[in-house]
Amino acid sequence: MAEAEREAAPSAEPQHQLSSSAGGPGDSQPVTRAEASEERTAAGGATRSPLGAVSVETSPEQFRVRRFFVLRPGTLNQAIKDIEALVDKEVDGSIHSIWLLAEVDHWNNEKERVVLITENSLLVFKYDFVMFSCDQIQRIPLNFVDRISHGTFSFPKRSLLTREGEGMRIFWDRLREPSFTSRWNPFATDFPFITFTYHPVRNISDTFAALCDIQNFREQLRDAAQKVHAMKPVPGKANGVLVLNQQIHIEAYVGLMSFLGNQNKLGYCMARGNIGF
């Protein structure tokens, strides 16, 4: 009778660690607070998030969340590397922290964003996690930021739209109001404010929870802006940042485009069937 032999080969687990080139020991950088690791189980082949330990579940919600390309191994590391290379050290200064947020425009459309707080600027990047390219950069000088409001979202009384959760809005020109044309133009970008809310992957791990923490982001932004206001005051502009706890009003009524887009997460880089959008 032949004796059966079994061979067991140890498998190496690849590990990914986020890195940021900026900030000193005193800076709070959610990106570098935890190491990222990818683990595969031999039996089921299930994966964990590349940015922290995540319990493997088969619920529809977990399956939907894992379709975000930002969770793919090494994707966020590459995005941060590409984005850091675009920071102008002479204009922006050193990088203080990096965040993963969702922008909400004036028509209630959600859009995936990577946000940097630097020594002198607030940088908002539209990054393509599929093609690994930066499609758009918005630079907001911190000494122009004059007001930050945070709270739940609100809509006009006759609006058909709703939005749960909380957000924050950053203003940099309190004397300028959006024109009527801009309010009704879904592609307008000349608004003197920008609105953020939580990214859908914030609950996937503790590391992503820190990376998407709007409250911590708001506090760091306020402190950074206050510092720049004192060092580089703008002539004719009141110094300091006013922080208000109030509703974030979105003046949109029907919003069929935003309803379809937000339901299908069209503003995010996700796997959609056999194709990526």
Side-chain angles (χ1 to χ4, degrees), residues 155-161 252-254:
F155 294 86
K157 292 182 179 181
R158 298 181 180 179
S159 176
L160 301 178
L161 298 172
Y253 291 86
V254 180

Side-chain angles (χ1 to χ4, degrees), residues 148-159:
I148 300 174
S149 62
H150 61 96
T152 58
F153 290 94
S154 67
F155 294 86
K157 292 182 179 181
R158 298 181 180 179
S159 176

Side-chain angles (χ1 to χ4, degrees), residues 36-246:
S37 64
E38 175 196 9
E39 298 183 1
R40 296 184 177 273
T41 59
T47 62
R48 290 187 177 182
S49 164
L51 298 176
V54 181
S55 60
V56 178
E57 300 180 12
T58 58
S59 66
E61 179 65 18
Q62 284 290 326
F63 177 77
R64 184 185 64 82
V65 170
R66 291 178 184 280
R67 294 163 59 195
F68 287 90
F69 275 97
V70 70
L71 298 178
R72 302 296 173 91
T75 297
L76 187 56
N77 291 282
Q78 183 62 47
I80 292 174
K81 181 179 178 180
D82 295 341
I83 287 172
E84 286 180 341
L86 298 175
V87 176
D88 190 333
K89 300 297 183 180
E90 295 184 0
V91 177
D92 305 313
S94 60
I95 301 173
H96 287 176
S97 56
I98 302 174
W99 308 84
L100 180 65
L101 303 173
E103 180 185 349
V104 182
D105 69 9
H106 60 294
W107 273 43
N108 195 39
N109 296 295
E110 288 185 20
K111 303 172 183 178
E112 191 172 39
R113 294 290 184 262
V114 179
V115 183
L116 270 64
I117 299 177
T118 71
E119 186 178 359
N120 302 316
S121 308
L122 175 66
L123 301 176
V124 182
F125 294 85
K126 177 184 177 183
Y127 188 84
D128 188 339
F129 290 101
V130 180
M131 301 302 297
F132 294 102
S133 63
C134 183
D135 297 332
Q136 178 182 323
I137 303 175
Q138 182 177 6
R139 176 179 283 105
I140 304 166
L142 290 179
N143 57 345
F144 278 75
V145 175
D146 50 39
R147 181 161 43 112
I148 300 174
S149 62
H150 61 96
T152 58
F153 290 94
S154 67
F155 294 86
K157 292 182 179 181
R158 298 181 180 179
S159 176
L160 301 178
L161 298 172
T162 59
R163 173 176 288 278
E164 298 180 354
E166 298 183 352
M168 63 174 289
R169 179 168 289 171
I170 304 164
F171 299 83
W172 54 84
D173 191 350
R174 67 178 66 185
L175 300 179
R176 180 167 65 90
E177 291 292 333
S179 64
F180 177 83
T181 304
S182 297
R183 292 178 186 273
W184 288 96
N185 180 7
F187 305 105
T189 58
D190 58 344
F191 284 80
F193 58 80
I194 189 169
T195 306
F196 293 113
T197 189
Y198 291 100
H199 194 287
V201 303
R202 69 185 185 278
N203 294 324
I204 201 72
S205 70
D206 292 339
T207 303
F208 270 106
L211 190 67
C212 306
D213 188 347
I214 280 188
Q215 294 184 2
N216 195 13
F217 168 71
R218 182 180 72 243
E219 293 172 359
Q220 290 198 32
L221 177 62
R222 176 202 61 199
D223 295 341
Q226 293 279 24
K227 183 177 180 180
V228 179
H229 272 286
M231 297 178 59
K232 301 178 181 179
V234 179
K237 189 178 182 67
N239 294 323
V241 180
L242 182 64
V243 180
L244 301 174
N245 185 357
Q246 61 183 20

